Amino acid sequence: MPPFDNLSLSGRHLIEGRWLDSDRTFDGGQGRRVFVGTEAIVKAAGLAAEAAFERFSATSRAARAEFLRAIAEELDALGDAITQAGVAETGLPQARLEGERGRTTGQLRLFASHIESEDYLDLRHDPAMPERTPLPRADLKLMQLPVGPVAVFGASNFPLAFSVAGGDTAAALAAGCPVVVKGHESHTAVGELAALAIHNAIKRCEMPSGVFSFVQGGGHETGANLVQHPAIKAVGFTGSLKGGRALFDLCAARPEPIPFFGELGSVNPVFMLPGVLADKASSLGAAWAGSLLLGAGQFCTNPGVVLVPEGQDGDAFVDSAVLALSQAGAQTMLSQGIADSCARGAQQLQAAKGVECLVEGMVNEREVTPSVVACDWATYSANPELSHEVFGPVGVIVRVKDVNEMEKFLDACVGQLTMTLHLTDRDHDAARKLMPKLVRKAGRVLANGFPTGVEVCDSMVHGGPYPASTNFGATSVGTMAIRRFLRPVCFQDIDRALLPEELR
């Protein structure tokens, strides 16, 4: 595996097949200067995507599937370099980065297989009825077509799977949409290498050069310019509520408003029902702690709030969780900014009136140990800050009197990516009370598991009611993600020779 400092990286942008610099740079870490994604660079990327759209959207499904598989192969060819760069930039272990690369290439290959079938096009046909009275019916055919160039924002916590060549990019390219990616400032080297892999695949498959552009970061200005570019017709985003809402508002305020598909995170409540706690309170406490610690808590599905009934079994759950978290070692966070934000969030939870600090964590530069506070339902409901996501290994235990207080929690709860029930057969009556509220508030409802770990498959939903995401009808993981970048078009009495191939 080559050393990170010997990698041939330029810190440049990839626009229409050319590596370009700009008139400003920022610190890309590891002593690298990276060129800022200026307004001129964003404009060039948008124009290149628009110029490529008609040709790329007209490519066959087989050709796009070949292209997606070629990207996956090129990522694997650069695998050692990507892993080495990722370890240096993010602090993630080698095994995590190799696993994430496998997920990234798997997503690309999954979408390739998905579009080889016509099912995603939702083909429909209502034949003409010229003899119908009082009015005849025209011949009507419908299919889904690509929306146009798509902007994708690389995520901080997944340098591969939710970044340059990640799920949003795979879904948009599969749909037939050119993509402009804004790379994340925390992993500029990994982003550049992933862009190189796509660039190599474009040349291999003889795709139009403007089908993909990579714009290095540079702060809020770069993102704002990108979502306001008139060529961009949809946006895929994974990040914070604050940043995502700002971009969402910009999309809505454009002369031509466009859809913003933002995945903004949540606290992913977990409900421990009495029957299951009577059977295995201690093991569940340790299991919740393990999920909270996974990836240093830097997953959008991190189970940050757990509701536990009062009483001896609930006490056993809490004691077990506290023991596991107290014994946990320090973990390295993805960036100094994320570590600082985690420290502020933990301090705000601990300062809330009426809470008990059970595990007082530590943040030392990028090293963090877990923090957990506990309170009753009345205290939780009186302190809104307790329901705010803290990105890191930080949890809130809410002690409840009964299932009625769990219902009150759900009534007050905002939209979430996930909600989880732990139960046995003896808890089914209680679960039936909660289920209508769970499905109303979450995109994914789990039983007897933990939400960390999102399967990439046909049935997955990674989204939820606002503020978990900005569009409750969409997902950013799984094959249904392609629907975000398609729109239905009806063809009325159009001659067969003029129709798209799938409708002839």
Side-chain angles (χ1 to χ4, degrees):
M1 184 179 296
F4 173 74
D5 56 5
N6 286 341
L7 295 175
S8 179
L9 296 169
S10 67
R12 288 183 167 87
H13 319 279
L14 177 63
I15 311 294
E16 208 165 12
R18 297 174 296 153
W19 294 96
L20 304 178
D21 56 20
S22 55
D23 57 4
R24 288 178 285 144
T25 64
F26 65 94
D27 181 7
Q30 307 297 313
R32 299 178 65 241
R33 300 305 300 175
V34 176
F35 291 97
V36 170
T38 60
E39 184 176 3
I41 288 292
V42 171
K43 181 178 180 181
L47 292 174
E50 178 61 29
F53 175 63
E54 285 193 15
R55 180 182 160 195
F56 184 59
S57 64
T59 56
S60 68
R61 290 178 286 113
R64 293 202 303 279
E66 179 186 2
F67 177 40
L68 292 169
R69 293 188 175 108
I71 296 173
E73 291 169 4
E74 294 293 340
L75 284 169
D76 281 337
L78 292 170
D80 286 350
I82 288 171
T83 298
Q84 187 66 23
V87 169
E89 285 188 306
T90 67
L92 293 172
Q94 178 177 331
R96 155 71 192 270
L97 286 158
E98 290 174 348
E100 191 180 326
R101 176 163 53 87
R103 171 175 171 170
T104 306
T105 57
Q107 290 173 160
L108 289 158
R109 293 183 172 109
L110 177 65
F111 276 108
S113 298
H114 185 61
I115 62 174
E116 285 175 331
S117 166
E118 294 180 345
D119 292 348
Y120 81 100
L121 295 172
D122 192 19
L123 302 176
R124 304 182 185 203
H125 182 203
D126 288 296
M129 300 173 65
E131 307 301 326
R132 189 183 69 176
T133 57
L135 294 173
R137 183 176 76 188
D139 183 84
L140 301 168
K141 297 183 176 72
L142 176 148
M143 72 178 293
Q144 302 285 339
L145 292 174
V147 299
V150 171
V152 170
F153 285 72
S156 64
N157 58 334
F158 282 90
L160 290 166
F162 279 85
S163 197
V164 175
D168 287 348
T169 298
L173 293 176
C177 300
V179 174
V180 179
V181 172
K182 176 190 175 292
H184 198 279
E185 293 83 356
S186 294
H187 34 78
T188 59
V190 172
E192 185 175 333
L193 288 166
L196 175 61
I198 299 175
H199 176 57
N200 291 339
I202 288 172
K203 292 189 291 185
R204 273 179 57 182
C205 298
E206 298 182 344
M207 289 292 174
S209 57
V211 76
F212 171 82
S213 290
F214 170 61
V215 177
Q216 293 278 15
H220 303 307
E221 180 184 352
T222 304
N225 287 333
L226 181 55
V227 302
Q228 293 178 102
H229 193 291
I232 299 300
K233 302 304 179 187
V235 178
F237 174 89
T238 299
S240 69
L241 173 60
K242 181 180 178 182
R245 182 55 196 252
L247 293 172
F248 174 86
D249 290 344
L250 288 174
C251 288
R254 287 175 31 143
E256 177 199 3
I258 58 173
F260 178 85
F261 298 101
E263 190 270 285
L264 310 180
S266 62
V267 296
N268 306 295
V270 177
F271 298 81
M272 296 289 169
L273 295 182
V276 75
L277 282 185
D279 292 343
K280 48 182 180 179
S282 295
S283 62
L284 284 173
W288 175 69
S291 184
L292 194 72
L293 290 168
L294 196 65
Q298 297 169 113
F299 294 126
C300 46
T301 54
N302 197 43
V305 175
V306 59
L307 285 81
V308 182
E310 296 175 352
Q312 183 176 350
D313 295 330
D315 293 343
F317 174 96
V318 173
D319 291 344
S320 176
V322 168
L323 177 62
L325 293 168
S326 300
Q327 294 175 342
Q331 295 173 285
T332 303
M333 304 207 79
L334 290 160
S335 70
Q336 188 61 56
I338 291 175
D340 292 342
S341 177
C342 178
R344 289 193 298 270
Q347 290 167 2
Q348 288 173 353
L349 295 183
Q350 293 167 14
K353 185 177 180 180
V355 306
E356 178 186 5
C357 182
L358 301 180
V359 181
E360 186 174 0
M362 172 275 297
V363 177
N364 182 16
E365 295 190 353
R366 284 175 62 184
E367 298 295 305
V368 61
T369 58
S371 301
V372 172
V373 300
C375 64
D376 59 17
W377 161 240
T379 300
Y380 185 89
S381 63
N383 290 274
E385 63 270 28
L386 295 174
S387 64
H388 296 168
E389 180 188 29
V390 179
F391 201 58
V394 179
V396 178
I397 298 173
V398 183
R399 303 301 299 269
V400 295
K401 292 183 174 64
D402 50 29
V403 173
N404 290 332
E405 287 198 341
M406 291 185 177
E407 288 189 279
K408 291 178 182 178
F409 176 96
L410 284 167
D411 287 336
C413 194
V414 298
Q416 305 288 328
L417 294 172
T418 73
M419 288 190 175
T420 302
L421 282 175
H422 280 267
L423 72 166
T424 67
D425 292 347
R426 301 191 303 278
D427 295 310
H428 278 186
D429 286 344
R432 288 189 188 95
K433 286 186 174 182
L434 299 178
M435 280 299 291
K437 299 178 186 294
L438 292 169
V439 298
R440 185 177 182 185
K441 295 293 179 77
R444 177 163 57 113
V445 179
L446 300 79
N448 296 330
F450 290 95
T452 39
V454 181
E455 186 71 26
V456 182
C457 62
D458 292 331
S459 304
M460 178 52 60
V461 173
H462 191 58
Y466 185 84
S469 62
T470 56
N471 190 311
F472 58 79
T475 176
S476 62
V477 177
T479 54
M480 200 175 74
I482 198 172
R483 294 187 184 180
R484 297 172 297 166
F485 309 125
L486 297 166
R487 65 183 183 90
V489 177
C490 177
F491 296 87
Q492 181 171 328
D493 287 335
I494 300 296
D495 188 89
R496 182 177 183 275
L498 300 177
L499 289 170
E501 180 179 351
E502 290 85 354
L503 284 177
R504 292 174 191 169

